[in-house]
Amino acid sequence: MIRLNVFIEVSDANRTEAVKAAKELVAASLKDKGCIAYDLFESATRKNVLMICETWDNAANLDTHSNSSHFTTLVPKIQSLGTMKLEQFEF
């Protein structure tokens, strides 16, 4: 399995739009083949930090997800609203 933790730092001005786009990404991604979990978290201590935590059953399904229309549309939108950092783990 593959776990991705995607940290998103946003300004106050972009926070609402970033959350909206992230929630749209989560809803669409949960329907992708091989998606075990896909969640959006908001930091309780830093209002400007969000995290998407996703778990995939294998690399092939993650690759398919990464090329999906919702991913290729929404991820660049989120990137334009904040700074993203990715951590990837295999287990």
Side-chain angles (χ1 to χ4, degrees):
M1 282 195 273
I2 301 167
R3 163 70 52 85
L4 301 176
N5 294 329
V6 182
F7 296 92
I8 309 159
E9 188 171 343
V10 296
S11 66
D12 287 343
N14 290 340
R15 189 177 191 286
T16 299
E17 192 174 351
V19 169
K20 181 181 174 187
K23 285 181 178 181
E24 189 177 340
L25 178 64
V26 168
S29 299
L30 284 168
K31 299 174 187 174
D32 288 345
K33 180 181 177 185
C35 180
I36 295 169
Y38 211 104
D39 297 291
L40 173 65
F41 297 97
E42 300 179 46
S43 175
T45 57
R46 296 184 297 160
K47 184 179 176 182
N48 65 325
V49 176
L50 309 169
M51 183 179 84
I52 295 175
C53 181
E54 46 188 288
T55 306
W56 295 91
D57 64 351
N58 62 52
N61 286 329
L62 175 57
D63 287 342
T64 300
H65 161 71
S66 297
N67 291 304
S68 68
S69 62
H70 54 273
F71 184 93
T72 59
T73 301
L74 294 167
V75 170
K77 181 175 184 176
I78 296 167
Q79 288 175 319
S80 75
L81 297 167
T83 304
M84 296 177 80
K85 177 186 170 193
L86 172 70
E87 296 176 342
Q88 182 171 332
F89 307 94
E90 294 191 31
F91 58 100

